Amino acid sequence: MAGEIANQRDESGSNVVVIVEQSALELLPDPGVNVAVLEAKDWAGPDTMTVHPAVVDKNLCAHCLACIKLCPSLSWDMEKAHVVVNEVSCKGCGICGSVCPAGAISQRHFSSGMVLEAIARLWESGGNGRQIDSCNNCPVEPLVLGRMKTPSIHDPSVRVICSGRVEPLHVLETAKIGARGLLMVDCFTDVPEKDRFERGKKRMDAGEKLLRTLGSPVIRVEAVNLNARNVSELPLVLQKFTRRSTSTGGGST
Amino acid sequence: MKSEIESLLKETRAFMCLDCGKCTGACPLARQGGTYSPRMHIARMVYGYGSEVFADMDMWSCLTCGLCETNCPSNVKYTDFMSKVRVFSAGERRGGFCAHAGITHTLARMMANDGENQSRLGWVNDELKTAESGDVLYFVGCLPYFDNIFDYIKIEGTGIAKNSVELLNKLGVTPVVMKNEVCCGHDLLWSGDRDNFQKLVKKNVEAIAKTGARTIVTSCAECLRTLKVDYPQFAKFNFEVKHISEFVAEKLDGSSMKMSQFDGSITYQDPCRLGRHLKVYEPPREVLKKIPGVKLVEMRSNKDNSICCGTTHFLNCDRVSEGIRKERFSEALDTGAKTLVTACPKCQIHLKCSQSNRMQDEGVESLHITDFATMVNKHLVRN
């Protein structure tokens, strides 16, 4: 199954999956082509800033407080005896969900299952281009949107809510559908955001290492930062990345 | 369906249930305030409300640690019951919440469908003597993958494999390690995915047959249980499976090998698969006691009463699991031991994960958790 898809993609010449931070996806116009599939409607109009705050499943929470180490919006409620989310300050970046060993934290309207589903069905759409919905939570997004002039790309992309949400599992799933490369596009501008980028990158590397051990065709894994300043480089970055992934046959050495 | 359930009830002796409730009383999940009740599952199944059991999310929390079985007066095989019920439930597309986003299950499935070209032997260095065929085979399990997944909690990972092979070398054995070994399938079997499990069984049995090994040694209690108890139901083979503690205990018995000094007391955590499932209690203890200077202190609940590490097959890790680990840690601290030795890498992962938590009691952080193979290899002097 995965092999068939891979072959089809080889003929058309583009077989790269892009994991895009949500706000960066707004840069990718022409969603009509090969964009990830998931039945979802826009929860809000394109001009609205929607935040999908984190939700903690009380029954699953292991009280390990791994999330609290990473994010000031989460705290331990002594009275209720579970982790609570400050919905006012929560940006909905999802980094808490990515560290939760129990899988107790998810984003409202945006579960990690949806991301996996989107990756699994990336090439099933046949270019119908339904998108996985996510929030418009990134503070730099209004800036980026103002400069949105990029040519279309023909590579499937999945948006995750924030690069902090990227998991090694995403790399495995991408390899499963026969992709040759996985590019993470972030749009950070400040230091805390950069931490998330580094974290996402580290987790992608862990995924790549797992693939190497597994002996599956290794895919090229890269991460770039494109914010309001250098957003115009996106087509070039994608082009180069596609070339690198296909010419080297993935990142295998 | 009805006849299947009936035969399930007969096979697992569920019909013999006296409804006494000792199982629920003993269940570590129930004791931590969870809503879990083995008695209720059995009762519902027997009285024909099977569909309720299949739909019960609690069912996926069961650790299958076997503590209820030890206490059952009419010997109902609850762990077998759970393993089979989950197959039905998974058939209805139900499942538990996979911890760590289900990465271990995904890896096992990937190995089941394409695991021919793994490069899993990166940890074998020049100092280790390994072979491609021979009498004794060391089954590594998923350790090379855990290295990557759990590096943030500093588990020993392939360190266990290195130490195990070195230990076997010191005992004069050159073990076979396989490049095309796949996951034993423990997590898939217990989460109801029989199809992929059978693929793994086939691959492993064929690969082992090619090496000509007669004895399989494993340092993982889950691999041991799966290879020894579950594999024979799905495939035919003629090798025996031993945990490294059994193997070492046999070899050391009456030999003149020396151990180096260790000062202090240690305590030993019985993995549920090794202890209650396979009744291997004494061999690891015997070997550890041979290290000069070691004072082996037992925790309050030990051997067939020991508390499990709180999560099995990476399903439903929640506050109840964390509570179990906390209880275990407090027992370990009560012994005054500074080192906790366990014979299963999974125990180590779960305990170390819990150890890194912020809410831990004082003193837990300084507890040194190590594997049996690491501990013994460190102190066994090469002849």
Side-chain angles (χ1 to χ4, degrees), chain A residues 57-66 68-69 76 81 99-103 112 116 167-169 172-173 175-176 202-203 206 209-217, chain B residues 97-103 106-107 109-111 114-120 144-146 148-149 151-152 316-323 325 353 356-359:
Chain A
D57 186 332
K58 274 179 272 177
N59 295 325
L60 277 180
C61 175
H63 299 185
C64 72
L65 308 194
I68 290 182
K69 281 183 204 161
W76 175 256
V99 294
C100 181
S112 41
L116 294 179
E167 284 177 23
L169 191 58
L172 297 186
E173 294 286 338
K176 242 193 202 171
K202 214 171 127 192
R203 301 195 124 212
K209 273 187 208 155
L210 283 177
L211 274 183
R212 276 181 202 284
T213 320
L214 205 54
S216 305
Chain B
F97 293 100
C98 294
H100 303 281
I103 194 158
T106 306
L107 282 170
R109 288 197 184 102
M110 286 176 92
M111 276 184 249
D114 172 33
E116 307 304 319
N117 314 312
Q118 297 177 75
S119 55
R120 50 159 51 239
Y145 297 100
F146 291 156
N148 288 324
I149 306 172
D151 62 337
Y152 63 98
N316 284 27
C317 172
D318 54 17
R319 78 190 156 77
V320 178
S321 320
E322 197 59 29
R325 288 191 274 270
C353 179
S356 68
N357 290 350
R358 261 197 191 179
M359 300 264 281

Side-chain angles (χ1 to χ4, degrees), chain B residues 16 36 137 178 187 225 230 338 378:
Chain B
M16 312 295 269
Y36 197 82
L137 184 142
M178 293 188 290
D187 293 355
R225 138 100 211 190
D230 301 316
K338 293 273 183 291
K378 214 165 134 191

Side-chain angles (χ1 to χ4, degrees), chain A residues 116-182:
Chain A
L116 294 179
E117 192 73 20
I119 294 175
R121 292 209 238 149
L122 257 180
W123 288 327
E124 279 177 24
S125 64
N128 289 333
R130 282 183 291 161
Q131 295 184 29
I132 176 170
D133 180 59
S134 72
C135 68
N136 308 329
N137 63 334
C138 185
V140 286
E141 186 224 32
L143 286 172
V144 176
L145 270 183
R147 300 178 173 217
M148 200 180 85
K149 269 182 191 169
T150 42
S152 70
I153 56 152
H154 299 282
D155 297 318
S157 57
V158 176
R159 10 177 190 182
V160 290
I161 219 149
C162 172
S163 46
R165 192 73 185 84
V166 175
E167 284 177 23
L169 191 58
H170 295 161
V171 182
L172 297 186
E173 294 286 338
T174 319
K176 242 193 202 171
I177 60 166
R180 290 271 192 83
L182 180 67

